[in-house]
Amino acid sequence: MVSSSPLPEGFTEFDVFSLGSCLLVEGLLGFLLNAVTVVAFLKIRELRTPSNFLVFSLAMADMGISGNATIAAFSSFLRYWPYGSDGCQMHGFQGFLTALASLHFIAAVAWDRYHQYCTRTKLQWSSAITLTAFIWMFTAFWAAMPVIGWGEYDYEPLRTCCTLDISKGDRNYVSYLIPMSICNSVIPMLVVMTSYQAIGRRFKKTGNPRFNAGAPFKTMLFCWGPYGVLAFYAAIENANLVSPKIRMIAPILAKTSPTFNMFLYSLGNENYRGGIWQLLTGEKMNTPQTENKAKIN
């Protein structure tokens, strides 16, 4: 660590090193695991289906989250943000864009699985490409708003990375938070919850469960729930009254999402898992022909 840089308020030397180490592990692990998902889709012809394109797009968004975490880890070891105010805005925009996109792609995969298992309808390439383009444009709009003044990007409590500023809790923040959260958090979570509930009922009726239908929504709540609670708490109370260490728990948990998603949607998908095995070993794995059968443990 750079001894000449002062410690962030409320943190000890050990805290900064520990949080930086967590960010580094999350960033590198999530990036490498999702890079395997991306490369497998590009290299293995059998994986290039519309449903797997949504998993590929989710992995691309998660690589962005992991890259954001890696930059934050580097800054944490320096004990300061070395890229200036413009760099902070870019870091906040990139992190928020990929986080929102990840949430929407999780919902898109849930919606696709619902149709596969409940209506026996296969996703078409035109629908997959249109949906993917819409998600990126829609989330880019919401991520760009704090850059131009609706909401604001600023340093997280560790002051070595940037995200949506919750410290003020003023009218500008609240007016941005509510519609943004409804469009990018509440609606995706409802899609995920209702889709997997319907799939679970279908599995119960047939007596042939193919995966744990409750795992995706529970994982989503674990990774993103604390961030949502903190954001809405800041809308009604002064978030600065909460310990900086506690406030850092939310972004740390959120950045575990890329790793969980790789196991849930890539390795948990029998078809995709076979493609990854072929990429890594050169040997084909016998997998079911159903395009997106998932086996989540």
Side-chain angles (χ1 to χ4, degrees), residues 18 56 67 74 78 107 112 116 128 130 154 160-161 182 199-200 216 220-221 262 281 295 297:
S18 298
F56 163 82
F74 175 73
L78 292 178
D112 177 47
Q116 286 188 40
T130 301
D154 205 346
T160 57
C161 46
I182 292 173
I199 293 170
M220 201 176 185
L221 280 181
M262 199 277 183
T281 67
K295 188 176 182 181
N297 296 318

Side-chain angles (χ1 to χ4, degrees), residues 131-146:
L131 180 59
T132 299
F134 172 78
I135 287 173
W136 283 113
M137 290 188 292
F138 186 73
T139 53
F141 166 81
W142 287 104
M145 289 300 100

Side-chain angles (χ1 to χ4, degrees), residues 180-196:
M180 184 278 297
S181 297
I182 292 173
C183 293
N184 297 283
S185 180
V186 175
I187 291 176
M189 284 189 170
L190 285 175
V191 171
V192 172
M193 181 179 67
T194 56
S195 295
Y196 285 110

Side-chain angles (χ1 to χ4, degrees), residues 3-297:
S3 59
S4 60
S5 300
L7 289 169
E9 184 178 355
F11 295 92
T12 66
E13 191 88 30
F14 178 76
D15 294 333
V16 175
F17 179 79
S18 298
L19 291 171
S21 298
C22 287
L23 289 167
L24 183 64
V25 171
E26 290 174 339
L28 293 180
L29 184 61
F31 189 91
L32 291 174
L33 289 175
N34 283 282
V36 171
T37 299
V38 169
V39 173
F41 180 86
L42 297 175
K43 292 287 187 180
I44 307 300
R45 181 176 58 83
E46 291 81 2
L47 288 186
R48 294 198 286 271
T49 66
S51 290
N52 285 340
F53 182 63
L54 296 180
V55 178
F56 163 82
S57 300
L58 172 61
M60 290 291 292
D62 284 342
M63 285 177 67
I65 296 175
S66 299
N68 188 275
T70 304
I71 293 173
F74 175 73
S75 301
S76 297
F77 292 132
L78 292 178
R79 292 202 322 208
Y80 74 101
W81 177 255
Y83 307 110
S85 58
D86 289 342
C88 179
Q89 296 301 303
M90 292 176 60
H91 188 253
F93 170 80
Q94 186 271 338
F96 211 54
L97 167 65
T98 52
L100 297 181
S102 178
L103 289 170
H104 281 283
F105 281 120
I106 290 172
V109 171
W111 170 80
D112 177 47
R113 286 180 171 179
Y114 164 77
H115 284 291
Q116 286 188 40
Y117 291 113
C118 298
T119 69
R120 302 297 182 184
T121 304
K122 286 188 176 181
L123 183 67
Q124 302 299 312
W125 270 111
S126 58
S127 299
I129 292 173
T130 301
L131 180 59
T132 299
F134 172 78
I135 287 173
W136 283 113
M137 290 188 292
F138 186 73
T139 53
F141 166 81
W142 287 104
M145 289 300 100
V147 177
I148 63 177
W150 191 24
E152 183 179 351
Y153 291 128
D154 205 346
Y155 300 107
E156 291 182 345
L158 198 59
R159 301 197 63 80
T160 57
C161 46
C162 297
T163 189
L164 184 67
D165 181 22
I166 66 171
S167 64
K168 297 183 179 65
D170 55 12
R171 183 178 298 179
N172 179 49
Y173 169 77
V174 174
S175 69
Y176 173 75
L177 174 70
I178 293 175
M180 184 278 297
S181 297
I182 292 173
C183 293
N184 297 283
S185 180
V186 175
I187 291 176
M189 284 189 170
L190 285 175
V191 171
V192 172
M193 181 179 67
T194 56
S195 295
Y196 285 110
Q197 282 179 343
I199 293 170
R201 288 193 296 268
R202 177 72 177 180
F203 288 167
K204 186 176 182 179
K205 184 181 296 186
T206 61
N208 184 27
R210 299 187 183 278
F211 59 87
N212 181 355
F217 183 68
K218 290 176 182 177
T219 301
M220 201 176 185
L221 280 181
F222 172 79
C223 294
W224 296 103
Y227 214 119
V229 170
L230 182 61
F232 274 96
Y233 176 82
I236 58 176
E237 292 288 346
N238 184 359
N240 292 320
L241 298 176
V242 180
S243 165
K245 295 178 186 178
I246 294 178
R247 279 185 280 150
M248 279 303 300
I249 292 175
I252 291 292
L253 287 177
K255 289 178 174 64
T256 64
S257 179
T259 299
F260 282 115
N261 288 344
M262 199 277 183
F263 284 99
L264 284 172
Y265 303 108
S266 299
L267 292 181
N269 177 320
E270 290 176 334
N271 174 256
Y272 219 115
R273 184 167 63 246
I276 291 174
W277 177 262
Q278 183 177 342
L279 172 71
L280 297 177
T281 67
E283 300 176 2
K284 288 191 176 182
M285 177 186 291
N286 292 325
T287 58
Q289 295 302 310
T290 301
E291 185 178 73
N292 206 21
K293 283 185 180 179
K295 188 176 182 181
I296 302 174
N297 296 318

